[in-house]
Every structure is written in structure tokens, then in C-alpha cells.
């Protein structure tokens, strides 16, 4: 008897066992895959469980009093799964039922060939119920065509706010390439405004439903009674600082006008209202926007897609006079006793600069009140470009305001470097300054910059970067999470602010340029402006804050081609202030964080 | 080709290349089956990290002195027994078995370490010179070494893995030259158990055959009676054991006998696996194009049913490449085991071979419907960090022995 380790016989037995098993498995694979492969292929095609992805509802947008501004509503979509959709003769039939242009389905399928053919392609959203009934009835004749319920944005709360809310849109192929793990084709993504800025918060988590289907792809029930399904999770709800009532008033005021208005709570930088006009109907964006609609919006000479509140730039006109005044007072260039005489015209070199009236002798307070140009021509020559530019920059001009929605223009704030760059070192003279003194010339600002500036004037240089988000309601915990804000504190004396603010009070309540909007119940302080503009009538400007003693709201209004600030812009500002403060006197305490959390459940 | 010859002399490319082929196919199949999965889409990344780590360890082990393994035989075995006991106390329960330690995001299965420990220590013990493998006492001790982990793993309970240890123990005892009678003593209880599953008539027949065999071997009455009683009691014990099995394990045995009896539950995976593999045909449906895989008809396909992904997406050709790669590794391991100059390394290599082959046979058998559904991973391919790591370590030990095969120790 052999007892050595690993004898030849034992090796051969082992060899035999291994070879025999391998041969058996290859044989049975051959039998399954080659001989019976066809049968299994048929079985595989008619297999019985289908994973249906579920899109989560997006977070709701609430206003500062927890009233809904943008909600969700259920709707049906039709989608096609290319792996199951074999009969292309059905294209035209489906296009007919869904009212789609001829060849639409072919285009979609062709444009998405690089994605797995098992992922559904969305053909149409927000399909009406009659069409859904037709699909339901004919399901067995339409393999690969399915309808799914999903939620669409609901904009039926009386305000539009397109330029702040933005809209959601089916994800583009470029975006998809960048975020492959988070999105698949047919998913929605925030495309603009707050929807885009806070996409990560509001989008929610996708789910997955497992369905049992028969060989004709007809659903016969849930797989494991839904035990293995993955539920969707609705996105975080956003609590915005907008006041829906003020927003409504502002939108109404701009119905037949072009321009923008921004209202800010001075102490916090919270945006109370934000309008850019003309707008477009957000409901069009709830479903698929056709190419024609896009072209119409793009080519419209009123530019409804253009966000004027953050993107349009214009000369601030007389609304900018407080910059020169503050700089001169702070730097000791003038005092309240410094006086200039206004004969109705100012001569510099061989050029003449006009004033609206013959104002006579003016000091800084009366010059703001009456908006005397001659005073400021003199003042800026005394002050110099450097100081003026430095103070304008302190108030945020020439820079983005860092507001929490996408695109924003910087505007132009001239400085010595700027002029040297544009005209060459000796190519410009002090005469260039004269226009800047009254906010004209090569100076341009955006409405939101003006609003931020007004807030800083109102609150003695203390505010924060303008922002929409007060916080969000976390979907996991249901708790309110406040947003981070960036505070601003200007190092300018209270005395200087007192002088300028008092002058602004007299603009409305003294013998100033905006006495037409004076109200007995609310003390408004403001400043009119008229922005010269090469394309027609000047823009009408007005900045204001109220109440004078304890400002709760700061507003900047710009109405394109509407002439004097006092005539068009000032009444709009007054109505917005009134809408905000009237309510605040009744319901003046903003709700606490606790009550926010309660409302969300 | 002198350089190549030298490399082949120190580093068996025929063992290395098929391993890399298998790991590559495994990663592809894991990618395909998980990348669009809502919860498992990070698995490919995790497996790739383990692959990278295991490659480093592979070459470290390859360059170790051969004596290292002999030296570490006892400690590895004892440490792994310690972990097997510890996991029963503090382990995490996954799929009804307490077999995991959770460390951070990764889990660690002590039974994987025990595979290494048992192979090294059993080989060490059996290669000790005065050992007589035909002495009943030595047979008993060898079985004891192998069956302590079997018992501990049964308690988790993880029947599939404990089966691996049974096979390793039997293979090493066999390789060390047990006599035909010895083999009869060791194997007959197993036959009795199998017969008792099939029913009482089969069990009685087997018992009669055992009596006849004992008569032929002409051993003394005491030994013969002992062996008969052992067989009788194991047969009855099984009936009891079947009752303590978890319901899902009982169902698995039943569904092996007739998969269509319970098509939506235990038999479900078998049917779906067959459909997936069968529908792959000769060339397969293409990478990431298998509808069974992509629509996830088989739950957790990237673990025990990874072969379906290959079968469906790479077809008969792909499946045969996998099987041939395994076959080459098996052949090289047998050859290495017979070339080794000392019985210790020969036995270790046979242990490694048995482990890989048993996993392979049970997993492929389950996927093509030849064996019952026993949850065992396919070496090198299935998703699972500790399993990949141990498989690569075992291959590295074999490669180390290959490098040193001409030296006497």
C-alpha cells in the first residue's frame, strides 16, 4: 500500500474529477446557450419584472410667511422604452394622438442612442387625461409605450416671478455628461434662477418601483407587494424671503411696462420682492417648450427672457448723488455749511452743463432734496475721482452683489485706472468727471445694486448681501435650516448718514422732487433719478426706504423709457412699500422658526 | 527567448495570466450589473480598490521566504478560530447569518481567514514525520482540525462555507495517502447522510452495503461495529439537522430537487439564472446589453450569480473563456503539488486547489443548474472584498512555492 504524499494514482484521480466536472459544465452550457439558446432568448424577452424609476417631487417654494409660491401638481407623461419598442410604424399614430409634429419620436430615439435602450425616453409631459385613456385601452397593441405619473411645477398662486424662480427643464445632453451618476435622460433639472441655484436641495431622491408584467408587457401587479421598492423622497422645501403680496403688487405695476424693481429688508439683505418685466408665462415651461415658443421668446424685442433686475445696466442718474455727498462729508471736503450757487447752468472749459432749474444758493441737503445738478458738478470737481470711486465701491457698485441666482452684471464704475485704460494716460480730462457727479456718463449700475445701496443708506451702512433664501426645511429631519448670510458693515459715520437720510426724507416730505408720493401714515425717504439713455426716452428711476425712523424695506425701481423718476417709478415704489408695511402693521411679527417647521408637516 | 524562460522558471505565467483574465471579467461583470443600480452603484469602485490592494499583497507574498508559511501555520489557525468564536458573539447579521465584522464601510468575514488558517495548519500537521494517516487516531485528529471550523461556521449558520472546509479536510487527508479502508471510514457517513435525504429505503440499502463492505475489509469486530454505529447515527442525525436548518435553507434543498415547484421564491433565481445564461447564445448580448442583467431580474447578481452576467452578455464564448481559465489554474496547481519537494508545500497547494475548485464547482454548478443553490462566490469574479483578497493571497502562496519548488527545505 502506497502512503507517500501525492502519489501518481491520487494525482490522476484528482485530475480526472476536475476534468470531468469542467467537461460537464461546458456541455451543459453548450446545451443551454447553443442548442436551447433560442428558447431562452424568447423567455428572456418576455420576462416578468420591470423596474420603473420614480421621480421625486421637487421641494416647494414658500414665501416669508410660509405661503406657497411654487408648488407641485400631478400629471401624466408618455414614455418609450427603445428595447421594447420595435414597431416603428406606430410613430405616426402616437404622434397624432399626442399632437406632436411628424417625426418627433424618430428624432428623440435617434438623439438618445448612446444611452441604454432599457431606460425610458420621455415623449411628452402633461398629457391630457383623454389621451392617457386611449393609451391605457390600447396598451397591448403598443409594446414599449408607457405612461407614468409624475409631478410638474404648479405656478397657480397668483404671482409669476419667472426671473427669480427660474424654470425646470429636461436635462440637456451636455449636463447629463457632467452629472452621469445623479441624472438619467428624461430627468428634470433646474435651469435658471432659484431652481438652478438650489437644485441640490429641491431635487429630492429618485425611487424605483418593481412591477410584474406578462409577456405582452401588461402590468399584472407589484413585485413582492412592493417590498423591494425604493420609495422616492421629496426635495427640501425652500423658505424664501419674498412677500407674495408685495410681489403681486410689483408684478401688477409692471404689467404693461419694461423695467425692474427690487425690494430688500435693509437689516438682513432679504429680498422682499423681485420683478423684471416683461415676463413670460412659467406655465409654458411646466411642460415641454416647443422650438417655436423658444424662438418667439428669444426674438421678442422686449426681451422677456432677459433678467433686467440683475442684468440690465444703465446710468443711475440723480439716485447716485448721495455717493458724492457721503464721500465729500466723510472726507471733510465739505460741511453742511458749504454752499454753491446754482444759476441754472455750469460752465467747465468751453462746455456748458445744465440744471433743471435756477436753484440759487444750495447746501448739500437742499441740493439732494431738489436734485440740483450744479451743486454736484462743483462738488465732484472738489472731491476728485479717486474718493468718489472709492465710496461708490464701498456701496457695492462695479461689483456683483452675490445674490443667490445665477447671472448678474457688474456694471461699470469708472476710476483713474479705468479712464487710463480706455482713453490712455493723457487722453482724458477732469471734464469727464462733471457728468459723473450727477450719475451720468460712463457709469452704469443694475437695479439690484441700487437696491443694495438703498438698504445700506437706510440702515446706516449695516446690511447683508441681497439673498432670496431664508432657509430650507430638511427632508430628513423636517427641521428648518437657516441659510448662511454674508453681512456688510460700512465704516461711515452716523452723522454723515443722518445728513443724507434727512435730505432723502425731504425729497418726499419736504419741498423735494417726489412730494407727489407723500403719505400721512408712512414716512418714506427717497431719491428720484432720470437715466439718460441713447435708445430713446430716459429711464425713470426711484430709490426709497421706509419707515424713515426704523426702515423695514428699501426699494429700487427702474422703468425703461418712462421719463422723470417722480412720475412713473416713484408711485410703484410707494405701492410696494405700502403693500409691505400695511400688512406688517397687522401681522408684523414674522413667524418663528418653530412655526415654520410645523407648517411643513 | 532566454529571458522569458527565466521568468517562467520563477513566475508561472500560466497561473498568473488566467487569474488576471478572471479578475478582469469579474470587474466588467460587476460594472455592468451595478453601475445603473440605485443602491449598489458604488460596488465597482470598492471592488477595484480591493483588486489594487490585493495585487500589492500578491507580490509581497510572492517574495516572502518559503519558511514563513510553515512558521505562521499554527498562529493563523488559532487566530482564525478566535475570530470565528468572536463573530458569533459580536458579528453583524447579514442575510440571516452572523458571519461579518463591520469595520467602517467595509465588512470582514472571519471564515475567509479560516480557510487560509485551516489549509496551512492541516498541511503542517499532516506533513509531520511520525504521522500515520492510516492510524484511526491520526485520522480522527486530522478530521478534528478540519471540523472545528466547520462546526463554528455551521453555527453562524453558513452551510455553504462550512462545506468548503469539509472538502478541504477530505482532500488533504486523501492526498497524504490514506488507505482505501481509511477513505471508507471517512466517507461512508457522508453517503449515509445523502441516502437519508432520499428516504428510508435508500438509507437501509446503504446500511446493508456498509455491512457487506466491512465484511470484505475483514477488520476486527470492535472497529467494524464502531464504524457501523457511526453511520447509523449520522443518518439519523441528519433528520434532526434538517429541522434546525433555516427555512430558506430547507427551501433551497427542496427547490434544487424541483426548481419549478416554487418559481417565485427559492427556485426563482435558478430559473432566472438559466434564462439569463441561455439567452446569451454563442456570442452574448454585448457588454451592458443583457436585459436580464440590466433589468435586475436576479437580486444581488454581482455576488453569487455573477456567472449569469458573463453568460448573458458574453455568451458561450465568454463562459468558456472563464471555465478554461479556471481549468488552466487547476492543472498548474496539480502539477505544482506533484513537483514540490516537501510534503508540506504539496499539501498546501492541494488545499488551495480544493478550495478554488469547490467554490468553482458549486458556483458554476448552481448557475447552470447542476448543483443546489448554495451561496458561495465564484473565485476572482464575484463581488466581495475579503473573498477576492483571500483568493489572490492563496494564489500568491502557490506562486511562492512555485518560485521555490526546486529547493529542499
Amino acid at each position: 500500500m502506497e502512503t507517500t504524499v501525492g502519489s501518481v494514482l491520487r494525482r490522476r484521480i484528482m485530475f480526472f474529477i476536475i476534468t470531468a466536472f469542467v467537461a460537464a459544465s461546458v456541455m451543459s452550457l453548450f446545451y443551454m446557450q447553443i442548442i436551447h439558446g433560442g428558447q431562452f432568448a424568447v423567455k428572456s424577452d418576455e420576462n416578468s419584472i420591470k423596474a420603473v424609476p420614480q421621480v421625486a417631487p421637487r421641494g416647494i417654494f414658500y414665501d416669508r410667511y410660509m405661503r406657497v409660491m411654487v408648488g407641485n401638481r400631478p400629471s401624466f407623461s408618455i414614455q418609450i422604452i427603445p428595447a421594447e419598442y420595435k414597431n416603428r410604424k406606430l410613430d405616426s399614430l402616437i404622434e397624432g394622438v399626442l399632437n406632436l409634429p411628424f417625426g418627433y419620436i424618430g428624432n428623440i430615439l435617434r438623439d438618445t442612442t448612446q444611452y441604454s435602450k432599457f431606460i425610458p425616453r420621455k415623449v411628452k409631459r402633461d398629457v391630457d387625461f383623454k389621451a392617457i385613456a386611449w393609451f391605457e385601452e390600447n396598451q397591448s397593441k403598443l409594446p414599449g409605450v408607457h405612461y407614468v405619473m409624475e409631478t410638474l411645477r404648479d405656478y397657480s398662486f397668483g404671482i409669476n416671478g419667472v426671473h427669480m424662480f427660474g424654470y425646470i427643464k429636461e436635462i440637456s445632453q451636455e449636463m447629463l455628461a457632467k452629472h452621469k451618476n445623479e441624472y438619467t435622460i428624461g430627468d428634470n433639472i433646474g435651469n435658471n434662477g432659484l431652481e438652478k441655484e438650489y437644485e441640490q436641495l429641491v431635487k429630492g431622491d429618485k425611487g424605483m418601483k418593481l412591477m410584474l408584467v406578462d409577456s405582452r408587457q401588461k402590468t399584472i401587479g407589484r413585485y413582492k407587494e412592493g417590498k423591494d421598492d425604493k420609495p422616492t423622497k421629496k426635495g427640501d422645501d425652500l423658505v424664501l424671503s419674498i412677500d407674495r403680496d408685495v410681489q403681486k403688487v410689483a408684478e401688477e405695476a409692471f404689467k404693461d411696462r419694461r423695467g425692474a424693481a427690487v425690494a430688500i429688508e435693509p437689516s438682513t439683505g432679504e429680498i422682499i420682492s423681485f420683478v423684471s418685466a416683461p415676463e413670460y408665462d412659467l406655465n409654458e415651461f411646466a411642460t415641454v417648450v416647443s422650438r417655436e415658443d423658444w424662438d418667439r421668446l428669444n426674438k421678442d424685442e422686449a426681451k422677456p427672457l432677459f433678467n433686467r433686475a440683475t442684468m440690465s445696466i444703465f446710468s443711475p442718474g440723480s439716485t447716485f448723488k448721495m455717493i458724492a455727498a457721503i464721500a465729500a462729508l466723510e472726507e471733510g471736503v465739505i460741511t453742511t455749511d458749504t454752499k454753491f450757487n446754482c444759476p441754472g447752468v455750469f460752465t467747465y472749459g468751453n462746455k456748458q452743463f445744465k440744471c433743471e432749474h435756477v436753484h440759487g444758493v444750495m447746501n448739500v441737503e437742499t441740493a439732494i432734496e431738489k436734485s440740483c445738478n450744479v451743486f454736484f458738478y462743483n462738488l465732484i470737481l472738489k472731491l476728485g475721482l479717486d474718493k468718489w470711486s472709492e465710496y461708490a465701491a464701498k456701496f457695492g457698485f462695479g461689483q456683483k452683489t452675490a445674490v443667490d441666482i445665477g447671472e448678474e452684471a457688474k456694471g461699470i464704475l469708472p476710476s483713474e485706472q479705468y479712464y487710463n485704460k480706455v482713453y490712455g494716460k493723457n487722453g482724458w480730462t477732469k471734464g469727464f468727471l462733471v457728468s459723473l457727479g450727477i450719475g451720468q456718463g460712463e457709469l452704469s449700475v443694475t437695479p439690484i445694486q441700487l437696491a443694495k445701496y438703498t438698504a445700506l443708506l437706510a440702515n446706516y451702512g449695516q446690511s447683508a448681501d441681497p439673498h432670496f433664501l431664508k432657509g430650507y426645511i430638511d427632508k430628513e429631519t423636517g427641521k428648518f435650516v437657516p441659510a448662511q448670510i454674508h453681512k456688510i458693515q460700512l465704516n461711515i459715520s452716523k452723522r454723515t448718514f443722518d445728513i443724507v437720510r434727512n435730505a432723502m426724507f425731504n425729497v418726499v416730505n419736504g419741498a423735494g422732487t417726489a412730494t407727489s408720493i407723500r403719505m400721512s401714515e408712512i414716512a418714506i425717504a427717497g431719491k428720484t433719478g432720470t437715466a439718460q439713455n441713447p435708445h430713446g426716452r430716459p429711464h425713470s428711476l426711484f430709490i426709497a426706504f421706509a419707515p424713515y425712523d426704523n426702515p423695514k424695506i428699501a426699494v429700487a425701481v427702474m422703468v425703461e423709457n418712462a421719463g422723470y423718476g417722480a412720475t412713473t417709478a416713484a408711485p410703484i415704489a410707494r405701492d410696494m412699500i405700502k403693500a409691505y408695511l400695511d400688512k406688517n402693521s397687522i401681522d408684523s411679527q414674522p413667524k418663528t422658526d418653530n412655526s415654520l417647521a410645523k407648517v411643513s408637516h | 527567448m532566454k529571458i522569458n524562460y527565466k521568468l517562467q522558471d520563477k513566475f508561472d505565467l500560466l497561473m498568473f495570466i488566467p487569474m488576471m483574465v478572471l479578475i478582469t471579467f469579474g470587474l466588467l461583470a460587476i460594472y455592468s450589473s451595478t453601475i445603473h443600480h440605485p443602491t449598489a452603484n458604488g460596488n465597482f469602485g470598492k471592488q477595484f480598490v480591493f483588486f489594487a490592494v490585493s495585487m500589492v499583497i500578491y507580490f509581497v507574498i510572492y517574495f516572502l521566504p518559503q519558511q514563513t508559511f510553515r512558521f505562521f501555520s499554527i498562529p493563523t489557525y488559532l487566530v482564525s478560530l478566535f475570530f470565528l468564536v468572536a463573530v458569533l458573539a459580536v458579528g453583524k447579521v447579514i442575510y440571516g447569518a452572523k458571519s461579518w465584522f463591520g469595520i467602517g464601510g467595509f465588512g470582514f468575514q472571519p471564515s475567509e481567514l479560516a480557510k487560509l488558517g485551516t489549509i496551512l495548519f492541516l498541511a503542517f500537521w499532516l506533513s509531520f514525520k511520525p504521522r500515520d494517516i492510516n492510524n484511526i487516531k491520526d485520522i480522527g485528529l486530522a478530521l478534528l482540525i478540519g471540523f472545528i471550523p466547520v462546526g463554528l461556521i455551521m453555527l453562524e449558520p453558513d452551510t455553504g462555507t462550512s462545506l468548503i472546509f469539509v472538502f478541504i479536510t477530505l482532500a488533504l487527508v486523501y492526498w497524504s495517502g490514506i488507505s482505501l479502508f481509511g477513505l471508507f471510514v471517512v466517507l461512508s457517513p457522508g453517503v449515509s447522510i445523502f441516502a437519508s435525504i432520499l428516504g428510508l429505503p435508500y438509507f437501509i440499502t446503504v446500511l446493508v452495503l456498509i455491512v457487506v463492505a466491512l465484511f470484505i475489509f475483514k477488520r476486527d469486530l470492535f472497529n467494524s461495529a464502531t464504524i457501523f454505529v457511526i453511520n447509523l447515527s449520522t443518518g439519523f442525525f441528519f433528520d434532526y439537522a434538517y429541522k434546525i436548518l433555516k427555512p430558506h435553507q430547507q427551501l433551497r434543498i427542496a427547490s434544487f430537487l424541483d426548481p419549478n415547484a416554487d418559481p417565485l421564491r427559492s427556485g426563482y433565481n435558478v430559473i432566472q439564472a438559466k434564462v439569463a445564461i441561455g439567452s446569451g447564445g454563442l456570442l452574448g448580448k454585448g457588454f451592458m446589453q443583457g436585459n436580464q442583467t440590466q433589468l435586475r431580474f436576479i437580486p444581488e447578481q454581482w455576488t453569487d450569480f455573477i456567472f449569469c452576467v458573463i453568460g448573458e452578455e458574453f455568451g458561450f464564448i465568454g463562459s468558456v473563456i472563464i471555465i478554461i481559465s479556471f481549468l488552466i489554474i487547476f492543472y498548474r496547481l496539480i502539477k505544482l503539488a506533484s513537483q514540490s519537494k516537501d510534503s508540506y508545500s504539496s499539501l498546501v497547494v492541494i488545499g488551495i486547489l480544493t478550495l478554488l475548485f469547490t467554490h468553482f464547482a458549486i458556483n458554476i454548478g448552481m448557475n447552470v443548474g447542476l448543483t443546489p443553490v448554495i451561496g458561495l462566490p465564484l473565485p476572482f469574479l464575484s463581488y466581495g472584498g475579503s473573498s477576492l483578497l483571500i483568493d489572490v493571497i492563496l494564489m500568491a502562496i502557490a506562486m511562492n512555492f512555485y518560485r521555490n519548488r526546486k529547493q529542499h527545505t
Side-chain angles (χ1 to χ4, degrees):
Chain A
M1 191 178 295
E2 45 89 18
T3 53
T4 47
V5 168
S7 73
V8 177
L9 177 66
R10 274 158 211 264
R11 192 175 84 210
R12 284 191 182 147
I13 291 173
M14 213 130 192
F15 188 88
F16 173 77
I17 293 173
I18 290 171
T19 312
F21 184 87
V22 166
S25 14
V26 171
M27 294 272 284
S28 80
L29 278 172
F30 185 79
Y31 179 80
M32 283 162 72
Q33 297 188 296
I34 308 294
I35 298 177
H36 288 286
Q39 292 168 20
F40 282 119
V42 170
K43 252 195 185 159
S44 146
D45 283 342
E46 58 187 38
N47 223 319
S48 55
I49 300 166
K50 172 167 293 165
V52 186
Q54 304 284 301
V55 176
R58 290 175 79 84
I60 287 169
F61 290 0
Y62 290 108
D63 84 342
R64 64 191 296 124
Y65 304 112
M66 294 305 290
R67 294 173 300 187
V68 178
M69 292 192 292
V70 176
N72 293 315
R73 67 183 164 89
S75 83
F76 289 103
S77 290
I78 294 290
Q79 52 188 32
I80 284 180
I81 298 174
E84 299 164 7
Y85 185 71
K86 299 275 160 58
N87 182 4
R88 295 299 300 281
K89 281 180 202 141
L90 292 170
D91 281 15
S92 52
L93 177 65
I94 297 167
E95 282 158 4
V97 173
L98 291 178
N99 219 348
L100 292 168
F102 178 74
Y104 189 85
I105 292 174
N107 283 341
I108 287 186
L109 295 181
R110 210 175 32 249
D111 289 349
T112 57
T113 41
Q114 74 265 44
Y115 304 104
S116 164
K117 55 188 179 176
F118 299 101
I119 302 175
R121 318 294 200 245
K122 224 153 261 175
V123 174
K124 190 173 182 184
R125 292 171 199 278
D126 208 16
V127 178
D128 66 75
F129 195 73
K130 257 201 221 147
I132 293 298
W134 182 85
F135 279 101
E136 168 77 58
E137 242 168 67
N138 297 290
Q139 206 179 28
S140 59
K141 294 173 210 149
L142 300 165
V145 185
H146 307 270
Y147 64 86
V148 286
M149 202 167 91
E150 51 181 16
T151 55
L152 285 183
R153 275 310 202 193
D154 183 0
Y155 298 110
S156 62
F157 299 94
I159 55 169
N160 207 1
V162 271
H163 291 108
M164 61 174 155
F165 297 141
Y167 53 90
I168 51 174
K169 203 180 141 184
E170 197 166 310
I171 189 166
S172 67
Q173 306 216 353
E174 300 86 73
M175 282 300 281
L176 203 49
K178 259 188 264 171
H179 305 279
K180 233 184 291 170
N181 295 332
E182 288 171 79
Y183 298 91
T184 129
I185 48 166
D187 280 358
N188 285 327
I189 187 167
N191 204 55
N192 222 325
L194 295 163
E195 296 271 19
K196 181 180 180 183
E197 184 77 25
Y198 296 111
E199 169 74 12
Q200 286 307 318
L201 293 176
V202 296
K203 74 173 178 168
D205 297 341
K206 270 194 262 181
M208 190 74 76
K209 210 180 199 173
L210 300 176
M211 306 300 286
L212 287 172
V213 289
D214 69 8
S215 56
R216 292 181 307 282
Q217 297 299 325
K218 200 170 145 54
T219 304
I220 48 179
R222 305 284 294 276
Y223 173 65
K224 286 197 185 170
E225 291 90 50
K227 232 174 35 199
D228 288 357
D229 288 3
K230 189 184 166 224
T232 57
K233 222 174 249 171
K234 177 169 162 285
D236 298 332
D237 294 332
L238 301 189
V239 180
L240 304 179
S241 56
I242 295 292
D243 179 330
R244 204 173 74 183
D245 299 326
V246 180
Q247 182 69 18
K248 201 166 177 172
V249 165
E251 285 183 8
E252 288 290 325
F254 273 98
K255 206 148 214 174
D256 302 311
R257 294 190 168 111
R258 296 179 193 175
V262 179
I264 292 180
E265 184 177 66
S267 57
T268 59
E270 288 178 359
I271 298 173
I272 295 164
S273 174
F274 184 95
V275 178
S276 169
E279 301 192 274
Y280 49 92
D281 188 1
L282 262 181
N283 283 303
E284 286 180 25
F285 284 79
T287 61
V288 176
V289 185
S290 70
R291 198 168 288 271
E292 294 88 77
D293 285 342
W294 259 118
D295 284 351
R296 182 174 52 74
L297 287 171
N298 259 323
K299 287 188 185 140
D300 191 336
E301 57 87 34
K303 295 194 179 151
L305 294 174
F306 184 60
N307 187 348
R308 286 166 164 78
T310 58
M311 295 289 287
S312 73
I313 56 171
F314 46 87
S315 298
S318 300
T319 58
F320 215 73
K321 282 176 177 159
M322 281 77 80
I323 293 286
I326 289 172
L329 288 165
E330 278 295 285
E331 296 297 318
V333 175
I334 58 164
T335 64
T336 44
D337 296 330
T338 311
K339 293 186 172 108
F340 294 105
N341 182 42
C342 169
V345 70
F346 178 77
T347 312
Y348 186 81
N350 53 2
K351 262 184 143 178
Q352 295 215 320
F353 297 87
K354 280 188 179 156
C355 195
E356 297 294 332
H357 301 280
V358 179
H359 287 109
V361 176
M362 295 262 114
N363 75 352
V364 65
E365 283 176 291
T366 51
I368 290 173
E369 183 182 343
K370 309 235 174 187
S371 203
C372 172
N373 289 349
V374 172
F375 181 90
F376 284 94
Y377 295 142
N378 284 299
L379 182 61
I380 192 148
L381 288 173
K382 227 176 157 188
L383 176 66
L385 179 59
D386 265 0
K387 285 295 165 199
W388 175 85
S389 188
E390 181 193 320
Y391 276 82
K394 280 189 182 179
F395 283 89
F397 292 104
Q399 313 143 38
K400 294 185 174 182
T401 63
V403 65
D404 48 349
I405 51 167
E407 290 176 308
E408 188 182 354
K410 279 204 281 202
I412 299 167
L413 176 61
S415 61
E416 225 163 280
Q417 287 131 302
Y418 173 83
Y419 280 136
N420 284 340
K421 221 171 107 187
V422 178
Y423 300 102
K425 203 137 195 166
N426 301 311
W428 60 283
T429 64
K430 256 191 149 185
F432 280 56
L433 255 72
V434 177
S435 304
L436 295 179
I438 58 158
Q440 305 288 2
E442 271 165 287
L443 165 70
S444 63
V445 303
T446 64
I448 194 159
Q449 282 176 340
L450 279 184
K452 177 181 172 182
Y453 157 64
T454 313
L456 286 165
L457 289 174
N459 211 40
Y460 293 90
Q462 265 183 58
S463 187
D465 285 346
H467 57 277
F468 290 98
L469 188 71
K470 275 175 89 80
Y472 63 92
I473 296 162
D474 188 292
K475 60 177 180 286
E476 307 287 348
T477 60
K479 293 233 171 70
F480 178 78
V481 182
Q484 298 276 327
I485 61 169
H486 182 252
K487 288 193 173 145
I488 304 171
Q489 168 76 63
L490 296 184
N491 192 18
I492 292 170
S493 69
K494 181 171 180 298
R495 207 191 114 68
T496 298
F497 273 118
D498 277 337
I499 296 165
V500 169
R501 287 174 89 259
N502 185 45
M504 288 175 74
F505 178 78
N506 288 332
V507 167
V508 181
N509 302 287
T513 51
T515 49
S516 59
I517 63 160
R518 180 187 307 168
M519 284 188 293
S520 55
E521 64 273 30
I522 302 168
I524 300 176
K527 182 74 195 78
T528 52
T530 309
Q532 299 302 331
N533 136 45
H535 317 286
R537 286 180 72 196
H539 299 331
S540 171
L541 301 177
F542 192 67
I543 62 172
F545 61 86
Y548 175 68
D549 294 326
N550 179 22
K552 295 262 186 258
I553 180 168
V555 191
V557 179
M558 182 275 289
V559 186
E560 287 180 10
N561 313 112
Y564 289 114
T567 47
T568 323
I572 295 176
R574 177 200 56 204
D575 292 346
M576 288 170 72
I577 288 170
K578 193 165 181 299
Y580 187 64
L581 294 179
D582 270 359
K583 176 182 31 245
N584 266 12
S585 58
I586 306 160
D587 177 13
S588 63
Q589 292 307 306
K591 293 185 180 166
T592 61
D593 293 354
N594 270 343
S595 68
L596 289 180
K598 235 187 287 165
V599 177
S600 77
H601 281 272
Chain B
M1 296 305 278
K2 207 178 168 192
I3 298 156
N4 267 348
Y5 171 78
K6 270 190 170 167
L7 175 67
Q8 177 60 35
D9 188 48
K10 287 288 174 203
F11 191 81
D12 189 2
L13 290 170
L14 282 173
M15 214 144 70
F16 183 72
I17 292 169
M19 178 179 86
M20 296 309 286
V21 168
L22 293 171
I23 294 177
T24 308
F25 266 96
L27 287 170
L28 285 177
I30 290 167
Y31 184 86
S32 173
S33 56
T34 62
I35 202 71
H36 290 308
H37 194 277
T39 53
N41 54 12
N43 285 5
F44 174 77
K46 280 195 210 166
Q47 186 78 353
F48 196 86
V49 170
F50 268 104
F51 161 63
V53 170
S54 68
M55 277 300 109
V56 174
I57 295 176
Y58 181 91
F59 285 101
V60 169
I61 291 178
Y62 171 70
F63 285 111
L64 288 176
Q66 199 181 6
Q67 288 81 355
T68 323
F69 307 105
R70 202 186 288 258
F71 179 77
F72 276 108
S73 295
I74 298 175
T76 314
Y77 182 72
L78 292 179
V79 167
S80 61
L81 287 191
F82 171 76
F83 278 130
L84 283 177
V85 173
V87 81
L88 292 175
V90 297
K92 251 173 40 180
V93 177
I94 294 181
Y95 305 123
K98 217 174 193 183
S99 61
W100 289 81
F101 286 120
I103 305 162
F106 292 99
F108 159 69
Q109 266 187 303
S111 55
E112 294 293 340
L113 181 66
K115 286 171 187 168
L116 181 65
T118 309
I119 291 173
L120 291 183
F121 181 53
L122 199 54
F124 178 74
W125 192 83
L126 286 170
S127 60
F128 232 70
K129 263 301 154 234
R131 207 71 71 208
D132 176 11
I133 196 57
N134 284 310
N135 175 320
I136 296 256
K137 189 189 106 200
D138 279 358
I139 292 178
L141 283 174
L143 293 184
L144 185 69
I145 292 168
F147 284 19
I148 290 174
V150 171
L152 289 172
I153 293 167
M154 286 275 239
L155 290 175
E156 288 178 357
D158 183 351
T159 326
T161 306
S162 57
L163 209 57
I164 297 291
F165 287 82
V166 173
F167 280 110
I168 290 173
T169 311
L170 294 179
L172 291 190
V173 167
Y174 160 83
W175 195 251
S176 21
I178 196 169
S179 67
L180 204 53
F181 176 70
L183 208 56
F184 168 73
V185 172
V186 172
L187 288 184
S188 60
V191 177
S192 302
I193 287 174
F194 191 69
S196 76
I197 305 176
L198 298 176
L200 196 60
Y202 295 94
F203 185 45
I204 292 170
T205 314
V206 166
L207 286 179
V208 170
L209 287 174
I210 285 170
V211 172
V212 173
L214 285 171
F215 187 72
I216 293 167
F217 278 120
K218 289 183 182 147
R219 293 296 161 127
D220 60 75
L221 192 62
F222 178 74
N223 273 345
S224 301
T226 311
I227 290 158
F228 181 77
V229 169
I230 288 172
N231 272 289
L232 192 64
S233 51
T234 50
F236 280 116
F237 172 74
F238 179 80
D239 209 41
Y240 167 74
Y242 185 80
K243 278 171 197 139
I244 65 162
L245 282 182
K246 300 264 152 159
H248 76 268
Q249 290 168 322
Q250 291 180 0
L251 263 174
R252 278 179 176 183
I253 292 170
S255 81
F256 167 60
L257 298 173
D258 181 10
N260 292 305
D262 184 19
L264 264 183
R265 297 177 71 185
S266 266
Y268 171 82
N269 289 351
V270 178
I271 295 168
Q272 296 296 348
K274 272 190 177 175
V275 171
I277 295 172
S279 64
L282 178 67
L283 298 170
K285 297 173 186 171
F287 181 54
M288 308 223 18
Q289 297 300 320
N291 48 346
Q292 299 278 307
T293 299
Q294 301 301 328
L295 295 175
R296 306 177 199 114
F297 284 104
I298 302 165
E300 306 255 322
Q301 203 173 355
W302 48 92
T303 59
D304 299 346
F305 283 95
I306 194 89
F307 190 69
C308 294
V309 182
I310 311 260
E312 187 185 17
E313 300 198 340
F314 301 107
F316 183 67
I317 303 282
S319 314
V320 168
I321 290 176
I322 299 296
I323 291 179
I324 297 293
S325 299
F326 272 112
L327 191 62
I328 294 170
I329 292 176
F330 298 152
Y331 282 173
R332 295 304 291 175
L333 286 173
I334 293 186
K335 184 148 188 238
L336 177 59
S338 8
Q339 279 175 339
S340 297
K341 291 281 189 281
D342 63 312
S343 48
Y344 171 73
S345 42
S346 175
L347 281 164
V348 169
V349 172
I350 285 301
I352 294 169
L353 168 68
T354 311
L355 182 139
L356 293 178
F357 177 69
T358 318
H359 272 101
F360 165 82
I362 290 178
N363 187 284
I364 298 282
M366 157 180 95
N367 272 276
V368 302
L370 287 176
T371 54
V373 176
I374 295 173
L376 281 179
L378 186 57
F380 309 116
L381 285 104
S382 286
Y383 171 74
S386 25
S387 144
L388 177 69
L389 203 60
I390 281 295
D391 292 339
V392 170
I393 287 173
L394 292 174
M395 289 300 283
I397 294 173
M399 192 63 95
N400 181 295
F401 290 174
Y402 180 85
R403 182 171 68 95
N404 296 305
R405 71 194 182 282
K406 289 171 184 166
Q407 292 166 7
H408 290 273
T409 48

